[in-house]
Amino acid sequence: MSAADTLRALHLDRAPGDPLILPGPWDAASARVFEEAGSPALATPSAGIALSLGYEDGQVPPKEMFAAVARITRAVSVPVTMDAETGYGLGAKELVDRILDAGAVGCNLEDSYGGKGSTGILRDAREQAEWLAEVREAAGERLVINARVDTFLRGAVEVDSALERARLYRSAGVDCVYPILAPVSLIPALRAGIEGPLNVLAQGDGPSPGELGELGATRVTFGPGMLRRSMSALRGILDELT
């Protein structure tokens, strides 16, 4: 079984309350810690890598992002999926080749551009679905594609637009959909309306991964949350030394 097959299989037949938990490493050292702790796979966060490299989220040059992911994949033996943001303006084949060359066997792909929150722009859903289909065709089964749905990130409060996009993206051949920042109260409706795996973002002040699984999450990721908690722990260590 290939690493991509292994990662894909980890998404399937998840029992309620037992989602696939994918810690977000930002460098080789954190990746090793997560693997040694028993994580079966890892998901790099673009925001976490940006912070570790001294950039704002979304501002890492593609060459540096792919190099950072490659250092992570070389450091561990478990499958790694890469947050490839909006694809860096690359064509589908080149994007797939660059992800695979970095050693990743999965990717996040976002459907909006620029800005924070409601200042960003959602891409036309059908155009995004067509592009995702091109990425799927170029990748075959070599990549597990997680299609991010940014409606909630961009200020929407209703579930229907997220469901419409999710269904289009699933029809395009993606493995998993990721309605980032979906309100916890809407997770059951998203689960009921989406066929296949559902990625939910865990937040520090929100439900635990197990609780998110009970609500319908198949897969739980953390964005830059683990890096931020590590930074807080480091500040605590420093306080103990002064």
PDB file of all heavy atoms in Angstrom, residues 2-30:
ATOM      1  N   SER A   2       0.603   2.200  -0.894  1.00  0.00           N
ATOM      2  CA  SER A   2       1.375   3.423  -0.949  1.00  0.00           C
ATOM      3  C   SER A   2       1.037   4.310   0.243  1.00  0.00           C
ATOM      4  O   SER A   2       0.031   4.117   0.932  1.00  0.00           O
ATOM      5  CB  SER A   2       1.078   4.179  -2.246  1.00  0.00           C
ATOM      6  OG  SER A   2      -0.233   4.716  -2.217  1.00  0.00           O
ATOM      7  N   ALA A   3       1.883   5.337   0.468  1.00  0.00           N
ATOM      8  CA  ALA A   3       1.604   6.272   1.557  1.00  0.00           C
ATOM      9  C   ALA A   3       0.289   7.007   1.326  1.00  0.00           C
ATOM     10  O   ALA A   3      -0.461   7.279   2.275  1.00  0.00           O
ATOM     11  CB  ALA A   3       2.759   7.260   1.701  1.00  0.00           C
ATOM     12  N   ALA A   4      -0.015   7.338   0.067  1.00  0.00           N
ATOM     13  CA  ALA A   4      -1.289   7.992  -0.231  1.00  0.00           C
ATOM     14  C   ALA A   4      -2.453   7.058   0.067  1.00  0.00           C
ATOM     15  O   ALA A   4      -3.481   7.487   0.619  1.00  0.00           O
ATOM     16  CB  ALA A   4      -1.323   8.437  -1.692  1.00  0.00           C
ATOM     17  N   ASP A   5      -2.309   5.796  -0.292  1.00  0.00           N
ATOM     18  CA  ASP A   5      -3.362   4.819   0.017  1.00  0.00           C
ATOM     19  C   ASP A   5      -3.559   4.691   1.523  1.00  0.00           C
ATOM     20  O   ASP A   5      -4.689   4.584   2.017  1.00  0.00           O
ATOM     21  CB  ASP A   5      -3.023   3.452  -0.574  1.00  0.00           C
ATOM     22  CG  ASP A   5      -3.106   3.415  -2.092  1.00  0.00           C
ATOM     23  OD1 ASP A   5      -3.831   4.256  -2.671  1.00  0.00           O
ATOM     24  OD2 ASP A   5      -2.445   2.555  -2.697  1.00  0.00           O
ATOM     25  N   THR A   6      -2.452   4.698   2.254  1.00  0.00           N
ATOM     26  CA  THR A   6      -2.536   4.613   3.712  1.00  0.00           C
ATOM     27  C   THR A   6      -3.277   5.811   4.284  1.00  0.00           C
ATOM     28  O   THR A   6      -4.171   5.667   5.129  1.00  0.00           O
ATOM     29  CB  THR A   6      -1.129   4.535   4.322  1.00  0.00           C
ATOM     30  OG1 THR A   6      -0.489   3.332   3.874  1.00  0.00           O
ATOM     31  CG2 THR A   6      -1.188   4.528   5.842  1.00  0.00           C
ATOM     32  N   LEU A   7      -2.921   7.013   3.813  1.00  0.00           N
ATOM     33  CA  LEU A   7      -3.585   8.215   4.294  1.00  0.00           C
ATOM     34  C   LEU A   7      -5.067   8.203   3.931  1.00  0.00           C
ATOM     35  O   LEU A   7      -5.925   8.532   4.762  1.00  0.00           O
ATOM     36  CB  LEU A   7      -2.912   9.456   3.704  1.00  0.00           C
ATOM     37  CG  LEU A   7      -3.520  10.804   4.088  1.00  0.00           C
ATOM     38  CD1 LEU A   7      -3.491  11.013   5.596  1.00  0.00           C
ATOM     39  CD2 LEU A   7      -2.777  11.941   3.375  1.00  0.00           C
ATOM     40  N   ARG A   8      -5.380   7.793   2.724  1.00  0.00           N
ATOM     41  CA  ARG A   8      -6.795   7.745   2.291  1.00  0.00           C
ATOM     42  C   ARG A   8      -7.577   6.757   3.156  1.00  0.00           C
ATOM     43  O   ARG A   8      -8.703   7.037   3.574  1.00  0.00           O
ATOM     44  CB  ARG A   8      -6.850   7.375   0.814  1.00  0.00           C
ATOM     45  CG  ARG A   8      -8.238   7.471   0.188  1.00  0.00           C
ATOM     46  CD  ARG A   8      -8.182   7.280  -1.316  1.00  0.00           C
ATOM     47  NE  ARG A   8      -7.607   8.444  -1.988  1.00  0.00           N
ATOM     48  CZ  ARG A   8      -6.404   8.461  -2.565  1.00  0.00           C
ATOM     49  NH1 ARG A   8      -5.637   7.370  -2.568  1.00  0.00           N
ATOM     50  NH2 ARG A   8      -5.957   9.553  -3.150  1.00  0.00           N
ATOM     51  N   ALA A   9      -6.985   5.621   3.426  1.00  0.00           N
ATOM     52  CA  ALA A   9      -7.669   4.599   4.225  1.00  0.00           C
ATOM     53  C   ALA A   9      -7.939   5.075   5.648  1.00  0.00           C
ATOM     54  O   ALA A   9      -8.937   4.692   6.262  1.00  0.00           O
ATOM     55  CB  ALA A   9      -6.841   3.311   4.247  1.00  0.00           C
ATOM     56  N   LEU A  10      -7.071   5.938   6.171  1.00  0.00           N
ATOM     57  CA  LEU A  10      -7.256   6.443   7.527  1.00  0.00           C
ATOM     58  C   LEU A  10      -8.512   7.305   7.646  1.00  0.00           C
ATOM     59  O   LEU A  10      -9.021   7.512   8.752  1.00  0.00           O
ATOM     60  CB  LEU A  10      -6.036   7.267   7.955  1.00  0.00           C
ATOM     61  CG  LEU A  10      -4.764   6.472   8.281  1.00  0.00           C
ATOM     62  CD1 LEU A  10      -3.577   7.408   8.431  1.00  0.00           C
ATOM     63  CD2 LEU A  10      -4.959   5.653   9.564  1.00  0.00           C
ATOM     64  N   HIS A  11      -9.004   7.820   6.524  1.00  0.00           N
ATOM     65  CA  HIS A  11     -10.211   8.648   6.534  1.00  0.00           C
ATOM     66  C   HIS A  11     -11.496   7.822   6.563  1.00  0.00           C
ATOM     67  O   HIS A  11     -12.570   8.377   6.826  1.00  0.00           O
ATOM     68  CB  HIS A  11     -10.262   9.527   5.280  1.00  0.00           C
ATOM     69  CG  HIS A  11      -9.246  10.638   5.245  1.00  0.00           C
ATOM     70  ND1 HIS A  11      -7.910  10.409   5.052  1.00  0.00           N
ATOM     71  CD2 HIS A  11      -9.392  11.980   5.362  1.00  0.00           C
ATOM     72  CE1 HIS A  11      -7.263  11.576   5.055  1.00  0.00           C
ATOM     73  NE2 HIS A  11      -8.147  12.541   5.246  1.00  0.00           N
ATOM     74  N   LEU A  12     -11.399   6.553   6.260  1.00  0.00           N
ATOM     75  CA  LEU A  12     -12.592   5.748   6.010  1.00  0.00           C
ATOM     76  C   LEU A  12     -13.047   5.009   7.264  1.00  0.00           C
ATOM     77  O   LEU A  12     -12.233   4.624   8.119  1.00  0.00           O
ATOM     78  CB  LEU A  12     -12.322   4.762   4.878  1.00  0.00           C
ATOM     79  CG  LEU A  12     -11.856   5.392   3.555  1.00  0.00           C
ATOM     80  CD1 LEU A  12     -11.566   4.307   2.526  1.00  0.00           C
ATOM     81  CD2 LEU A  12     -12.895   6.383   3.029  1.00  0.00           C
ATOM     82  N   ASP A  13     -14.357   4.800   7.331  1.00  0.00           N
ATOM     83  CA  ASP A  13     -14.965   3.983   8.399  1.00  0.00           C
ATOM     84  C   ASP A  13     -14.590   4.468   9.791  1.00  0.00           C
ATOM     85  O   ASP A  13     -14.331   3.665  10.703  1.00  0.00           O
ATOM     86  CB  ASP A  13     -14.555   2.508   8.227  1.00  0.00           C
ATOM     87  CG  ASP A  13     -15.012   1.943   6.893  1.00  0.00           C
ATOM     88  OD1 ASP A  13     -16.109   2.305   6.441  1.00  0.00           O
ATOM     89  OD2 ASP A  13     -14.260   1.146   6.301  1.00  0.00           O
ATOM     90  N   ARG A  14     -14.574   5.775   9.969  1.00  0.00           N
ATOM     91  CA  ARG A  14     -14.306   6.321  11.295  1.00  0.00           C
ATOM     92  C   ARG A  14     -15.551   6.219  12.163  1.00  0.00           C
ATOM     93  O   ARG A  14     -16.647   6.592  11.742  1.00  0.00           O
ATOM     94  CB  ARG A  14     -13.891   7.792  11.216  1.00  0.00           C
ATOM     95  CG  ARG A  14     -12.743   8.115  10.281  1.00  0.00           C
ATOM     96  CD  ARG A  14     -11.442   7.446  10.609  1.00  0.00           C
ATOM     97  NE  ARG A  14     -10.970   7.599  11.965  1.00  0.00           N
ATOM     98  CZ  ARG A  14      -9.740   7.267  12.362  1.00  0.00           C
ATOM     99  NH1 ARG A  14      -8.879   6.738  11.490  1.00  0.00           N
ATOM    100  NH2 ARG A  14      -9.371   7.438  13.607  1.00  0.00           N
ATOM    101  N   ALA A  15     -15.396   5.711  13.362  1.00  0.00           N
ATOM    102  CA  ALA A  15     -16.521   5.622  14.278  1.00  0.00           C
ATOM    103  C   ALA A  15     -16.828   6.998  14.862  1.00  0.00           C
ATOM    104  O   ALA A  15     -15.925   7.833  15.007  1.00  0.00           O
ATOM    105  CB  ALA A  15     -16.199   4.649  15.405  1.00  0.00           C
ATOM    106  N   PRO A  16     -18.092   7.272  15.197  1.00  0.00           N
ATOM    107  CA  PRO A  16     -18.413   8.548  15.853  1.00  0.00           C
ATOM    108  C   PRO A  16     -17.559   8.736  17.104  1.00  0.00           C
ATOM    109  O   PRO A  16     -17.400   7.822  17.906  1.00  0.00           O
ATOM    110  CB  PRO A  16     -19.891   8.396  16.197  1.00  0.00           C
ATOM    111  CG  PRO A  16     -20.420   7.415  15.201  1.00  0.00           C
ATOM    112  CD  PRO A  16     -19.301   6.442  14.966  1.00  0.00           C
ATOM    113  N   GLY A  17     -17.006   9.918  17.246  1.00  0.00           N
ATOM    114  CA  GLY A  17     -16.150  10.186  18.392  1.00  0.00           C
ATOM    115  C   GLY A  17     -14.716   9.747  18.206  1.00  0.00           C
ATOM    116  O   GLY A  17     -13.894   9.939  19.103  1.00  0.00           O
ATOM    117  N   ASP A  18     -14.386   9.189  17.031  1.00  0.00           N
ATOM    118  CA  ASP A  18     -13.018   8.723  16.765  1.00  0.00           C
ATOM    119  C   ASP A  18     -12.538   9.259  15.416  1.00  0.00           C
ATOM    120  O   ASP A  18     -12.263   8.495  14.499  1.00  0.00           O
ATOM    121  CB  ASP A  18     -12.963   7.198  16.783  1.00  0.00           C
ATOM    122  CG  ASP A  18     -11.549   6.667  16.571  1.00  0.00           C
ATOM    123  OD1 ASP A  18     -10.586   7.332  17.019  1.00  0.00           O
ATOM    124  OD2 ASP A  18     -11.403   5.597  15.933  1.00  0.00           O
ATOM    125  N   PRO A  19     -12.430  10.573  15.286  1.00  0.00           N
ATOM    126  CA  PRO A  19     -11.970  11.129  14.010  1.00  0.00           C
ATOM    127  C   PRO A  19     -10.479  10.899  13.814  1.00  0.00           C
ATOM    128  O   PRO A  19      -9.740  10.621  14.771  1.00  0.00           O
ATOM    129  CB  PRO A  19     -12.274  12.623  14.156  1.00  0.00           C
ATOM    130  CG  PRO A  19     -12.117  12.868  15.630  1.00  0.00           C
ATOM    131  CD  PRO A  19     -12.663  11.617  16.294  1.00  0.00           C
ATOM    132  N   LEU A  20     -10.040  11.026  12.583  1.00  0.00           N
ATOM    133  CA  LEU A  20      -8.617  11.022  12.274  1.00  0.00           C
ATOM    134  C   LEU A  20      -8.040  12.350  12.765  1.00  0.00           C
ATOM    135  O   LEU A  20      -8.466  13.415  12.319  1.00  0.00           O
ATOM    136  CB  LEU A  20      -8.407  10.869  10.767  1.00  0.00           C
ATOM    137  CG  LEU A  20      -6.970  11.031  10.265  1.00  0.00           C
ATOM    138  CD1 LEU A  20      -6.045   9.985  10.875  1.00  0.00           C
ATOM    139  CD2 LEU A  20      -6.942  10.953   8.733  1.00  0.00           C
ATOM    140  N   ILE A  21      -7.093  12.286  13.681  1.00  0.00           N
ATOM    141  CA  ILE A  21      -6.485  13.495  14.254  1.00  0.00           C
ATOM    142  C   ILE A  21      -5.131  13.708  13.593  1.00  0.00           C
ATOM    143  O   ILE A  21      -4.250  12.849  13.674  1.00  0.00           O
ATOM    144  CB  ILE A  21      -6.345  13.354  15.775  1.00  0.00           C
ATOM    145  CG1 ILE A  21      -7.742  13.211  16.420  1.00  0.00           C
ATOM    146  CG2 ILE A  21      -5.607  14.550  16.360  1.00  0.00           C
ATOM    147  CD1 ILE A  21      -7.696  12.916  17.903  1.00  0.00           C
ATOM    148  N   LEU A  22      -4.989  14.860  12.946  1.00  0.00           N
ATOM    149  CA  LEU A  22      -3.777  15.162  12.205  1.00  0.00           C
ATOM    150  C   LEU A  22      -3.083  16.381  12.806  1.00  0.00           C
ATOM    151  O   LEU A  22      -3.437  17.527  12.506  1.00  0.00           O
ATOM    152  CB  LEU A  22      -4.108  15.438  10.729  1.00  0.00           C
ATOM    153  CG  LEU A  22      -4.697  14.273   9.935  1.00  0.00           C
ATOM    154  CD1 LEU A  22      -5.015  14.719   8.507  1.00  0.00           C
ATOM    155  CD2 LEU A  22      -3.740  13.091   9.909  1.00  0.00           C
ATOM    156  N   PRO A  23      -2.083  16.172  13.667  1.00  0.00           N
ATOM    157  CA  PRO A  23      -1.327  17.309  14.195  1.00  0.00           C
ATOM    158  C   PRO A  23      -0.648  18.087  13.072  1.00  0.00           C
ATOM    159  O   PRO A  23      -0.357  17.543  11.998  1.00  0.00           O
ATOM    160  CB  PRO A  23      -0.290  16.643  15.109  1.00  0.00           C
ATOM    161  CG  PRO A  23      -0.856  15.301  15.425  1.00  0.00           C
ATOM    162  CD  PRO A  23      -1.611  14.890  14.204  1.00  0.00           C
ATOM    163  N   GLY A  24      -0.377  19.377  13.352  1.00  0.00           N
ATOM    164  CA  GLY A  24       0.182  20.247  12.322  1.00  0.00           C
ATOM    165  C   GLY A  24       1.624  20.631  12.584  1.00  0.00           C
ATOM    166  O   GLY A  24       1.888  21.640  13.262  1.00  0.00           O
ATOM    167  N   PRO A  25       2.603  19.896  12.064  1.00  0.00           N
ATOM    168  CA  PRO A  25       4.007  20.240  12.305  1.00  0.00           C
ATOM    169  C   PRO A  25       4.436  21.450  11.489  1.00  0.00           C
ATOM    170  O   PRO A  25       3.998  21.648  10.360  1.00  0.00           O
ATOM    171  CB  PRO A  25       4.752  18.986  11.837  1.00  0.00           C
ATOM    172  CG  PRO A  25       3.887  18.425  10.752  1.00  0.00           C
ATOM    173  CD  PRO A  25       2.470  18.704  11.202  1.00  0.00           C
ATOM    174  N   TRP A  26       5.301  22.245  12.046  1.00  0.00           N
ATOM    175  CA  TRP A  26       5.823  23.432  11.356  1.00  0.00           C
ATOM    176  C   TRP A  26       7.296  23.283  10.995  1.00  0.00           C
ATOM    177  O   TRP A  26       7.839  24.100  10.270  1.00  0.00           O
ATOM    178  CB  TRP A  26       5.606  24.670  12.222  1.00  0.00           C
ATOM    179  CG  TRP A  26       6.186  24.545  13.601  1.00  0.00           C
ATOM    180  CD1 TRP A  26       7.435  24.940  14.017  1.00  0.00           C
ATOM    181  CD2 TRP A  26       5.558  23.966  14.755  1.00  0.00           C
ATOM    182  NE1 TRP A  26       7.617  24.642  15.349  1.00  0.00           N
ATOM    183  CE2 TRP A  26       6.475  24.068  15.830  1.00  0.00           C
ATOM    184  CE3 TRP A  26       4.307  23.410  14.991  1.00  0.00           C
ATOM    185  CZ2 TRP A  26       6.176  23.594  17.118  1.00  0.00           C
ATOM    186  CZ3 TRP A  26       4.007  22.950  16.261  1.00  0.00           C
ATOM    187  CH2 TRP A  26       4.928  23.041  17.304  1.00  0.00           C
ATOM    188  N   ASP A  27       7.933  22.218  11.509  1.00  0.00           N
ATOM    189  CA  ASP A  27       9.321  21.947  11.151  1.00  0.00           C
ATOM    190  C   ASP A  27       9.603  20.471  11.429  1.00  0.00           C
ATOM    191  O   ASP A  27       8.726  19.732  11.901  1.00  0.00           O
ATOM    192  CB  ASP A  27      10.304  22.857  11.898  1.00  0.00           C
ATOM    193  CG  ASP A  27      10.226  22.712  13.420  1.00  0.00           C
ATOM    194  OD1 ASP A  27       9.598  21.754  13.918  1.00  0.00           O
ATOM    195  OD2 ASP A  27      10.799  23.568  14.121  1.00  0.00           O
ATOM    196  N   ALA A  28      10.828  20.042  11.127  1.00  0.00           N
ATOM    197  CA  ALA A  28      11.171  18.630  11.280  1.00  0.00           C
ATOM    198  C   ALA A  28      11.099  18.181  12.736  1.00  0.00           C
ATOM    199  O   ALA A  28      10.654  17.072  13.033  1.00  0.00           O
ATOM    200  CB  ALA A  28      12.571  18.372  10.711  1.00  0.00           C
ATOM    201  N   ALA A  29      11.530  19.044  13.662  1.00  0.00           N
ATOM    202  CA  ALA A  29      11.541  18.651  15.075  1.00  0.00           C
ATOM    203  C   ALA A  29      10.126  18.403  15.591  1.00  0.00           C
ATOM    204  O   ALA A  29       9.873  17.398  16.269  1.00  0.00           O
ATOM    205  CB  ALA A  29      12.232  19.736  15.907  1.00  0.00           C
ATOM    206  N   SER A  30       9.195  19.310  15.284  1.00  0.00           N
ATOM    207  CA  SER A  30       7.823  19.104  15.748  1.00  0.00           C
ATOM    208  C   SER A  30       7.209  17.886  15.084  1.00  0.00           C
ATOM    209  O   SER A  30       6.439  17.141  15.707  1.00  0.00           O
ATOM    210  CB  SER A  30       6.977  20.351  15.483  1.00  0.00           C
ATOM    211  OG  SER A  30       6.936  20.679  14.109  1.00  0.00           O
TER     212      SER A  30
END
